[in-house]
Amino acid sequence: MTHELIKDGKFEYYASGEGTPIIILHGLMGGLSNFQGVIDYFPPLGYQVVVPSLPLYTMPLIKTSVGTFAKHINKFIEHMGWKEVILLGNSLGGHIGLVTTKMYPEKIKALVITGSSGLYESAMGESYPKRGDYEYIKQKSQDVFYDPAVATKEIVDEVFGVVNDRKKLIKTLAIAKSAIRHNMANDLPKMKTPTCIIWGKQDGVTPPNVATEFHEKLPDSDLFWIDKCGHAAMMEHPEEFNTILHKWLEERQF
């Protein structure tokens, strides 16, 4: 599905609906389409779903870090004139959401993380990514999901394109290193923002024990599991993901 992006000053974003803003933060190899289920579900319920383009590949290399992306999101919130928002992030996006919440707690009404980095990340580093090897990239993309069929050719092609673009690859590795360095273990106990943790039981990138640790360390968090689900719950089980999140938002009166 093609989404019309709004260009507004130095920001570019997709927006749908009116009401309480839900800002979606995608992962390192993710994109707007990963959250199609959320984009379709929440606007009719009185939420404005907004997906800003993250400057993953446009930020100067020296500034390419999780902390810089958090500052970018804060500037975006200020630019839009919002007093409070809900942040929803997957993988690296969850990590950016956590850092943004730590740095600007007064602006974050609630945080939602799924398959978030910040405590552990097996896919950061090791032999990944290999340039030029399509089958390897295909296998790595499939490994993200419980059902490998979710890794469509379109998704694999997108990842393959990134790792075979030298500039993007350098930025990708810099972001991955920044994420590893920016461990949140000592910060989490001080973060009082209500947090909804939705996790795939078969997540092989950020395993279930990571979700449990997030839940134990975050003072005001709720943890929900989705079975037969890997690293991107909102993609593999959009209906279940949306039902869990909607119920949580209602119970917390957001």
Side-chain angles (χ1 to χ4, degrees):
M1 184 176 177
T2 305
H3 299 86
E4 288 293 323
L5 295 181
I6 299 165
K7 287 184 169 65
D8 186 0
K10 63 179 178 180
F11 300 104
E12 193 173 72
Y13 60 93
Y14 172 84
S16 177
E18 294 179 1
T20 303
I22 299 177
I23 298 179
I24 289 176
L25 305 169
H26 60 74
L28 184 53
M29 292 290 180
L32 195 151
S33 61
N34 296 173
F35 290 87
Q36 191 59 53
V38 174
I39 290 168
D40 292 340
Y41 186 89
F42 282 95
L45 301 174
Y47 296 93
Q48 183 180 18
V49 176
V50 183
V51 192
S53 293
L54 295 172
L56 300 181
Y57 307 120
T58 55
M59 200 71 81
L61 188 61
I62 197 166
K63 292 184 177 178
T64 300
S65 71
V66 179
T68 305
F69 298 141
K71 290 174 185 174
H72 177 82
I73 294 303
N74 176 57
K75 286 177 184 170
F76 177 65
I77 293 168
E78 288 180 346
H79 177 80
M80 298 297 284
W82 293 322
K83 284 191 167 60
E84 281 188 315
V85 302
I86 296 165
L87 293 183
L88 163 54
N90 170 242
S91 199
L92 174 74
H95 200 164
I96 295 168
L98 284 158
V99 177
T100 307
T101 302
K102 175 201 162 189
M103 293 171 71
Y104 313 101
E106 71 285 353
K107 293 179 183 174
I108 314 305
K109 184 183 289 193
L111 174 64
V112 185
I113 57 173
T114 178
S116 177
S117 58
L119 286 175
Y120 170 85
E121 188 67 69
S122 74
M124 297 293 191
E126 47 132 343
S127 59
Y128 172 73
K130 282 184 185 174
R131 292 180 69 195
D133 191 337
Y134 189 86
E135 283 306 309
Y136 178 82
I137 296 299
K138 181 179 178 182
Q139 183 62 53
K140 292 296 280 187
S141 299
Q142 290 175 338
D143 288 349
V144 168
F145 306 102
Y146 176 80
D147 178 4
V150 179
T152 60
K153 186 178 184 301
E154 184 182 10
I155 289 171
V156 176
D157 287 349
E158 197 170 325
V159 175
F160 184 74
V162 169
V163 301
N164 278 279
D165 180 317
R166 188 171 175 275
K167 287 183 180 176
K168 286 186 176 180
L169 178 61
I170 290 168
K171 292 283 179 72
T172 298
L173 294 172
I175 294 165
K177 285 175 184 173
S178 168
I180 293 166
R181 286 195 305 270
H182 211 125
N183 189 282
M184 303 287 294
N186 295 329
D187 299 315
L188 299 177
K190 304 167 199 161
M191 293 168 57
K192 307 291 198 295
T193 303
T195 305
C196 178
I197 305 166
I198 306 176
W199 222 265
K201 279 188 178 179
Q202 289 77 26
D203 188 340
V205 180
T206 44
N209 63 292
V210 178
T212 304
E213 189 174 344
F214 271 122
H215 181 43
E216 288 170 351
K217 289 185 181 297
L218 284 162
D220 186 7
S221 65
D222 296 294
L223 173 57
F224 304 93
W225 298 102
I226 297 182
D227 196 15
K228 295 181 180 175
C229 181
H231 187 54
M234 72 291 169
M235 288 178 75
E236 280 202 83
H237 296 279
E239 289 181 12
E240 192 172 348
F241 182 91
N242 289 333
T243 300
I244 290 168
L245 180 53
H246 183 200
K247 187 179 178 189
W248 186 81
L249 291 170
E250 278 194 325
E251 287 177 353
R252 292 297 195 114
Q253 298 184 322
F254 296 132

Coordinates of all heavy atoms in Angstrom, one line a residue, residues 150-198:
V150 N 5.8 -14.6 6.2 CA 5.6 -13.1 6.4 C 6.7 -12.3 5.8 O 6.4 -11.1 5.4 CB 5.5 -12.8 8.0 CG1 5.2 -11.4 8.2 CG2 4.3 -13.7 8.6
A151 N 7.8 -12.9 5.6 CA 9.0 -12.2 5.0 C 8.8 -12.2 3.5 O 9.3 -13.0 2.8 CB 10.3 -12.8 5.4
T152 N 7.9 -11.4 3.0 CA 7.6 -11.3 1.5 C 8.8 -10.9 0.7 O 9.8 -10.4 1.3 CB 6.4 -10.4 1.3 OG1 6.9 -9.0 1.7 CG2 5.2 -10.7 2.0
K153 N 8.7 -11.1 -0.6 CA 9.8 -10.7 -1.5 C 10.0 -9.2 -1.3 O 11.2 -8.7 -1.4 CB 9.5 -11.1 -2.9 CG 10.6 -10.8 -3.9 CD 10.3 -11.2 -5.3 CE 11.5 -11.0 -6.2 NZ 12.0 -9.6 -6.3
E154 N 9.0 -8.5 -1.2 CA 9.1 -7.0 -1.0 C 9.9 -6.6 0.2 O 10.8 -5.8 0.1 CB 7.7 -6.4 -0.9 CG 7.7 -4.9 -0.8 CD 6.3 -4.3 -0.6 OE1 5.3 -5.1 -0.4 OE2 6.1 -3.1 -0.7
I155 N 9.7 -7.3 1.3 CA 10.5 -7.1 2.5 C 11.9 -7.5 2.3 O 12.8 -6.7 2.7 CB 9.8 -7.8 3.7 CG1 8.5 -7.2 4.1 CG2 10.8 -7.9 4.9 CD1 7.7 -8.0 5.2
V156 N 12.1 -8.7 1.8 CA 13.5 -9.1 1.5 C 14.3 -8.2 0.6 O 15.4 -7.8 0.8 CB 13.5 -10.6 1.0 CG1 14.9 -11.0 0.7 CG2 12.9 -11.5 2.0
D157 N 13.6 -7.7 -0.5 CA 14.2 -6.8 -1.4 C 14.6 -5.5 -0.8 O 15.7 -4.9 -1.1 CB 13.2 -6.5 -2.6 CG 13.1 -7.7 -3.5 OD1 13.9 -8.7 -3.4 OD2 12.2 -7.7 -4.4
E158 N 13.8 -5.0 0.1 CA 14.0 -3.8 0.8 C 15.3 -3.9 1.7 O 16.2 -3.0 1.7 CB 12.8 -3.4 1.7 CG 12.8 -1.9 2.1 CD 11.5 -1.5 2.8 OE1 10.4 -2.0 2.3 OE2 11.6 -0.7 3.7
V159 N 15.4 -5.0 2.5 CA 16.6 -5.2 3.3 C 17.8 -5.4 2.4 O 18.9 -4.8 2.7 CB 16.3 -6.5 4.2 CG1 17.6 -6.8 5.0 CG2 15.2 -6.2 5.2
F160 N 17.7 -6.2 1.4 CA 18.8 -6.4 0.4 C 19.3 -5.1 -0.1 O 20.5 -4.9 -0.3 CB 18.3 -7.4 -0.7 CG 19.4 -7.7 -1.6 CD1 20.4 -8.7 -1.3 CD2 19.4 -7.2 -2.9 CE1 21.4 -9.0 -2.1 CE2 20.5 -7.6 -3.8 CZ 21.4 -8.5 -3.4
G161 N 18.4 -4.2 -0.5 CA 18.7 -2.9 -1.0 C 19.5 -2.1 0.0 O 20.5 -1.4 -0.4
V162 N 19.2 -2.1 1.3 CA 19.9 -1.4 2.3 C 21.3 -1.9 2.5 O 22.2 -1.1 2.5 CB 19.1 -1.4 3.6 CG1 20.0 -0.9 4.8 CG2 17.8 -0.7 3.6
V163 N 21.4 -3.2 2.6 CA 22.8 -3.7 2.9 C 23.7 -3.7 1.7 O 24.9 -3.8 1.9 CB 22.7 -5.2 3.5 CG1 21.9 -5.2 4.8 CG2 22.2 -6.2 2.5
N164 N 23.2 -3.5 0.5 CA 24.0 -3.3 -0.7 C 24.2 -1.9 -1.1 O 24.8 -1.6 -2.1 CB 23.4 -4.2 -1.8 CG 23.8 -5.6 -1.7 OD1 24.9 -6.0 -2.1 ND2 22.9 -6.4 -1.1
D165 N 23.7 -1.0 -0.2 CA 24.0 0.4 -0.4 C 25.1 0.8 0.6 O 24.8 0.8 1.8 CB 22.7 1.2 -0.2 CG 22.9 2.7 -0.3 OD1 24.0 3.3 0.2 OD2 22.1 3.4 -0.9
R166 N 26.3 1.1 0.1 CA 27.4 1.2 1.1 C 27.2 2.3 2.2 O 27.5 2.0 3.3 CB 28.7 1.6 0.3 CG 30.0 1.5 1.1 CD 31.2 1.7 0.3 NE 32.4 1.8 1.2 CZ 32.8 2.9 1.8 NH1 32.2 4.0 1.6 NH2 33.9 2.9 2.6
K167 N 26.6 3.4 1.8 CA 26.4 4.5 2.8 C 25.4 4.0 3.8 O 25.5 4.3 5.0 CB 25.9 5.8 2.1 CG 27.0 6.5 1.3 CD 26.5 7.8 0.7 CE 27.7 8.5 0.0 NZ 27.2 9.7 -0.7
K168 N 24.3 3.4 3.3 CA 23.2 2.9 4.2 C 23.8 1.8 5.1 O 23.4 1.7 6.3 CB 22.0 2.4 3.5 CG 21.2 3.6 2.9 CD 19.9 3.0 2.2 CE 19.1 4.2 1.7 NZ 17.8 3.7 1.1
L169 N 24.6 0.9 4.6 CA 25.2 -0.1 5.4 C 26.1 0.4 6.5 O 26.0 0.0 7.7 CB 26.0 -1.1 4.5 CG 26.7 -2.2 5.2 CD1 25.7 -3.1 5.9 CD2 27.6 -3.0 4.2
I170 N 26.9 1.4 6.2 CA 27.7 2.1 7.2 C 26.9 2.7 8.3 O 27.1 2.5 9.5 CB 28.7 3.1 6.6 CG1 29.7 2.4 5.7 CG2 29.3 4.0 7.7 CD1 30.5 3.4 4.8
K171 N 25.8 3.3 7.9 CA 24.9 3.9 8.9 C 24.2 2.8 9.7 O 24.0 3.0 11.0 CB 23.8 4.8 8.2 CG 24.4 6.1 7.5 CD 24.7 7.1 8.6 CE 25.2 8.4 7.9 NZ 24.3 9.2 7.1
T172 N 23.8 1.8 9.1 CA 23.1 0.7 9.7 C 24.0 0.1 10.8 O 23.5 -0.2 12.0 CB 22.7 -0.4 8.7 OG1 21.8 0.1 7.8 CG2 22.1 -1.6 9.4
L173 N 25.3 -0.1 10.5 CA 26.2 -0.7 11.5 C 26.5 0.3 12.6 O 26.6 -0.1 13.8 CB 27.5 -1.1 10.8 CG 27.4 -2.2 9.8 CD1 28.7 -2.4 9.0 CD2 27.0 -3.5 10.5
A174 N 26.5 1.6 12.3 CA 26.7 2.6 13.3 C 25.5 2.6 14.3 O 25.7 2.7 15.5 CB 26.9 4.0 12.7
I175 N 24.3 2.5 13.8 CA 23.1 2.5 14.6 C 23.1 1.3 15.5 O 22.8 1.3 16.7 CB 21.8 2.6 13.7 CG1 21.7 3.9 13.0 CG2 20.6 2.4 14.6 CD1 20.8 3.9 11.8
A176 N 23.4 0.1 14.9 CA 23.5 -1.1 15.6 C 24.4 -1.0 16.8 O 24.1 -1.4 17.9 CB 23.8 -2.3 14.7
K177 N 25.6 -0.5 16.6 CA 26.6 -0.3 17.6 C 26.1 0.6 18.7 O 26.3 0.4 19.9 CB 27.9 0.2 17.0 CG 28.7 -0.9 16.3 CD 29.9 -0.3 15.6 CE 30.6 -1.4 14.8 NZ 31.8 -0.9 14.0
S178 N 25.4 1.7 18.3 CA 24.9 2.7 19.2 C 23.8 2.0 20.1 O 23.8 2.2 21.3 CB 24.3 3.8 18.5 OG 23.5 4.6 19.4
A179 N 23.0 1.1 19.5 CA 22.0 0.4 20.3 C 22.6 -0.5 21.3 O 22.1 -0.6 22.5 CB 21.1 -0.4 19.3
I180 N 23.7 -1.2 20.9 CA 24.4 -2.1 21.9 C 24.9 -1.3 23.1 O 24.8 -1.7 24.2 CB 25.5 -2.9 21.2 CG1 24.8 -3.9 20.2 CG2 26.3 -3.6 22.2 CD1 25.8 -4.5 19.2
R181 N 25.6 -0.1 22.7 CA 26.2 0.7 23.8 C 25.1 1.3 24.7 O 25.3 1.5 25.9 CB 27.0 1.9 23.1 CG 28.3 1.4 22.5 CD 29.2 2.7 22.3 NE 28.5 3.7 21.4 CZ 28.6 3.7 20.1 NH1 29.3 2.8 19.5 NH2 27.9 4.7 19.4
H182 N 23.9 1.6 24.1 CA 22.9 2.3 24.9 C 22.0 1.4 25.6 O 20.8 1.3 25.4 CB 22.1 3.2 23.9 CG 21.6 4.4 24.6 ND1 21.8 5.7 24.1 CD2 20.8 4.6 25.7 CE1 21.2 6.6 24.8 NE2 20.6 6.0 25.8
N183 N 22.6 0.6 26.5 CA 21.8 -0.4 27.3 C 21.0 0.4 28.4 O 21.5 1.3 29.0 CB 22.8 -1.4 28.0 CG 22.0 -2.5 28.6 OD1 21.5 -2.4 29.7 ND2 22.0 -3.7 28.0
M184 N 19.8 0.0 28.6 CA 18.8 0.7 29.4 C 18.6 0.1 30.8 O 17.8 0.6 31.6 CB 17.4 0.7 28.7 CG 17.4 1.3 27.3 SD 17.6 3.1 27.3 CE 16.1 3.7 28.1
A185 N 19.4 -0.9 31.1 CA 19.1 -1.7 32.4 C 19.1 -0.8 33.6 O 18.2 -1.0 34.5 CB 20.2 -2.8 32.5
N186 N 20.0 0.1 33.7 CA 20.0 1.0 34.9 C 19.0 2.1 34.9 O 18.7 2.7 35.9 CB 21.4 1.6 35.1 CG 22.5 0.5 35.4 OD1 22.2 -0.5 36.0 ND2 23.7 0.7 34.9
D187 N 18.5 2.5 33.7 CA 17.5 3.6 33.5 C 16.1 3.1 33.8 O 15.3 3.9 34.3 CB 17.6 4.1 32.1 CG 19.0 4.7 31.7 OD1 19.5 5.4 32.6 OD2 19.4 4.4 30.6
L188 N 15.8 1.9 33.4 CA 14.4 1.4 33.5 C 13.7 1.6 34.8 O 12.6 2.0 34.9 CB 14.3 0.0 33.0 CG 14.8 -0.3 31.6 CD1 14.7 -1.8 31.2 CD2 13.9 0.5 30.6
P189 N 14.4 1.2 36.0 CA 13.7 1.3 37.3 C 13.3 2.8 37.6 O 12.4 2.9 38.5 CB 14.8 0.8 38.3 CG 15.6 -0.1 37.4 CD 15.7 0.6 36.1
K190 N 13.9 3.8 37.0 CA 13.6 5.2 37.3 C 12.5 5.7 36.4 O 12.0 6.8 36.5 CB 14.8 6.0 37.1 CG 16.0 5.6 38.0 CD 17.3 6.3 37.5 CE 18.5 5.6 38.0 NZ 19.7 5.9 37.2
M191 N 12.0 4.9 35.4 CA 11.1 5.4 34.4 C 9.7 5.0 34.8 O 9.3 3.8 34.8 CB 11.4 4.8 33.0 CG 12.8 5.4 32.5 SD 13.4 4.5 31.0 CE 12.1 4.7 29.9
K192 N 8.9 6.0 35.2 CA 7.5 5.7 35.8 C 6.4 5.8 34.7 O 5.3 5.6 35.1 CB 7.2 6.8 36.8 CG 8.3 7.0 37.9 CD 8.3 5.8 38.8 CE 9.0 6.1 40.2 NZ 10.5 6.4 40.0
T193 N 6.7 6.0 33.5 CA 5.7 6.1 32.4 C 5.0 4.8 32.3 O 5.6 3.7 32.2 CB 6.3 6.5 31.1 OG1 7.0 7.8 31.3 CG2 5.3 6.7 30.0
P194 N 3.6 4.8 32.2 CA 2.9 3.5 32.0 C 3.4 2.9 30.7 O 3.4 3.6 29.6 CB 1.4 4.0 31.9 CG 1.4 5.2 32.7 CD 2.7 5.9 32.4
T195 N 3.7 1.6 30.7 CA 4.3 0.9 29.5 C 3.6 -0.4 29.3 O 3.4 -1.2 30.2 CB 5.8 0.7 29.7 OG1 6.4 1.9 30.0 CG2 6.4 0.1 28.5
C196 N 3.2 -0.5 28.0 CA 2.6 -1.8 27.6 C 3.6 -2.6 26.8 O 4.1 -2.1 25.8 CB 1.3 -1.5 26.7 SG 0.5 -2.9 26.0
I197 N 3.9 -3.8 27.2 CA 4.9 -4.6 26.6 C 4.1 -5.8 25.9 O 3.5 -6.6 26.5 CB 5.9 -5.2 27.6 CG1 6.5 -4.1 28.4 CG2 6.9 -6.1 26.9 CD1 7.3 -4.6 29.6
I198 N 4.2 -5.8 24.6 CA 3.6 -6.9 23.8 C 4.7 -7.7 23.1 O 5.4 -7.1 22.3 CB 2.5 -6.3 22.8 CG1 1.5 -5.4 23.5 CG2 1.8 -7.5 22.1 CD1 0.5 -4.7 22.5

